[in-house]
Amino acid sequence: MAQFSSASGLEHFLLIGGAAIDPLLSDSPEVADWDIVIEDDTFNATAIVHALEQASFTVGSPRDYQLNLDKIAVCFPARHPTVGTFDVAIVEDLEFFGPFDVESLSVAYPAGLVIDDHDAIGAIKAKRASLIRPMERESPAMLAKRLFVLAGKYDIRFGPSSATARTAESIREGLMSDRTPPPSLPAQAACLAKFLRALQRADRPRDLLDDALDSRLLLGAVPPLDAVVRSPSFASAIDRSDRLGSVDLLAAIREIDRDGTCAGVAAALGERVWDHV
């Protein structure tokens, strides 16, 4: 954190995500990356990007994050071989990060103050996830993607009989509403990437697969994928390995998808570059 602060020139920011939460849950957390949030309604990333590049960070292109056509954030990734990998979001209002209670905790730098207004720790321990903002203020595809990630990480069930069932149902209704445009191919590819990663990360990947199908979230977020992963062959690909990370799940999907139903989404996934999504 101190090294990032020095390199970026930022004296104050929030740490969110696993890097903020996991040290409060474990004595030996594994931090893969650091999620940084900066409040600035001008969305000016130029000076920060320049400073990081001068400090030998590799910085991805900043891009807008929009909600109902309004820009609410500018996001970009930054990576340094020894300091680490950072996902940086410049937001107009701090209320826009973390749509679920389980990910809403933050730590203020440099004070070290833990901010947990929505009891993220309690939700994680209870293995449930709830939305902390009205559905209409969110992208349903993004919410489905985030729920897959959180379910895989924290062993949260979201099928019809779970504590998170109502949340999943709200997201499904948003995805399938006549007022919601179908997810774009890049959005579907991003969701597919996170779903596969969540399966690999989950302690019980079959539970995650069952919940994604039974809740119909996968059908709404990545329509071509639903029928393919319902195949017994996909479940067998999961069951064949004790370490799912060693299984090429995308290859399994392509093997099952002989008629090319998922070809467009798979191609879009292959064209994705390293970014914060």
Side-chain angles (χ1 to χ4, degrees):
M1 296 272 283
Q3 289 174 294
F4 177 84
S5 175
S6 176
S8 65
L10 294 168
E11 296 181 357
H12 303 277
F13 52 82
L14 291 181
L15 177 67
I16 64 169
I21 296 170
D22 293 354
L24 301 174
L25 298 170
S26 169
D27 293 332
S28 54
E30 296 182 5
V31 178
D33 54 26
W34 306 79
D35 296 312
I36 303 296
V37 172
I38 305 146
E39 187 174 23
D40 178 3
D41 60 8
T42 70
F43 303 109
N44 185 7
T46 304
I48 302 170
V49 169
H50 178 72
L52 290 172
E53 289 177 337
Q54 291 296 109
S56 299
F57 279 76
T58 300
V59 183
S61 298
R63 65 183 192 176
D64 293 349
Y65 178 80
Q66 293 184 322
L67 185 63
N68 296 330
L69 302 181
D70 293 325
K71 182 165 71 172
I72 63 167
V74 169
C75 306
F76 61 89
R79 178 182 293 165
H80 190 281
T82 58
V83 179
T85 299
F86 297 81
D87 291 333
V88 182
I90 304 173
V91 301
E92 67 171 348
D93 192 315
L94 293 176
E95 72 166 311
F96 286 115
F97 77 81
F100 293 95
D101 53 0
V102 292
E103 59 181 346
S104 62
L105 182 146
S106 61
V107 178
Y109 179 87
L113 176 66
V114 175
I115 304 166
D116 190 11
D117 294 339
H118 300 282
D119 192 19
I121 298 300
I124 291 169
K125 291 180 177 179
K127 298 187 182 300
R128 57 162 175 75
S130 301
L131 291 168
I132 59 176
R133 291 190 292 275
M135 263 293 303
E136 56 268 20
R137 299 189 64 184
E138 309 291 353
S139 158
M142 182 276 290
L143 292 175
K145 180 178 69 174
R146 289 302 305 157
L147 185 55
F148 293 152
V149 170
L150 297 168
K153 182 173 184 179
Y154 296 121
D155 192 26
I156 294 171
R157 299 300 305 270
F158 57 95
S161 61
S162 70
T164 307
R166 186 67 194 101
T167 298
E169 176 64 13
S170 295
I171 298 170
R172 185 199 65 78
E173 290 173 354
L175 282 165
M176 297 183 174
S177 168
D178 292 339
R179 295 171 294 178
T180 303
S184 65
L185 272 181
Q188 291 184 49
C191 195
L192 172 58
K194 291 301 187 182
F195 175 66
L196 297 183
R197 179 68 183 93
L199 285 174
Q200 291 177 323
R201 188 174 199 173
D203 288 337
R204 293 190 289 271
R206 281 296 296 273
D207 286 349
L208 176 58
L209 175 61
D210 289 345
D211 286 350
L213 295 174
D214 293 345
S215 67
R216 301 178 71 197
L217 283 186
L218 203 59
L219 177 63
V222 194
L225 185 65
D226 184 83
V228 173
V229 299
R230 286 184 186 276
S231 164
S233 298
F234 187 77
S236 296
I238 292 176
D239 293 340
R240 280 197 300 266
S241 176
D242 292 332
R243 286 188 55 80
L244 194 54
S246 65
V247 179
D248 188 341
L249 293 177
L250 188 58
I253 288 172
R254 286 174 169 146
E255 177 65 23
I256 297 166
D257 185 31
R258 297 297 180 88
D259 61 359
T261 302
C262 290
V265 179
L269 180 60
E271 293 170 1
R272 283 169 45 113
V273 296
W274 169 60
D275 59 23
H276 72 286
V277 175

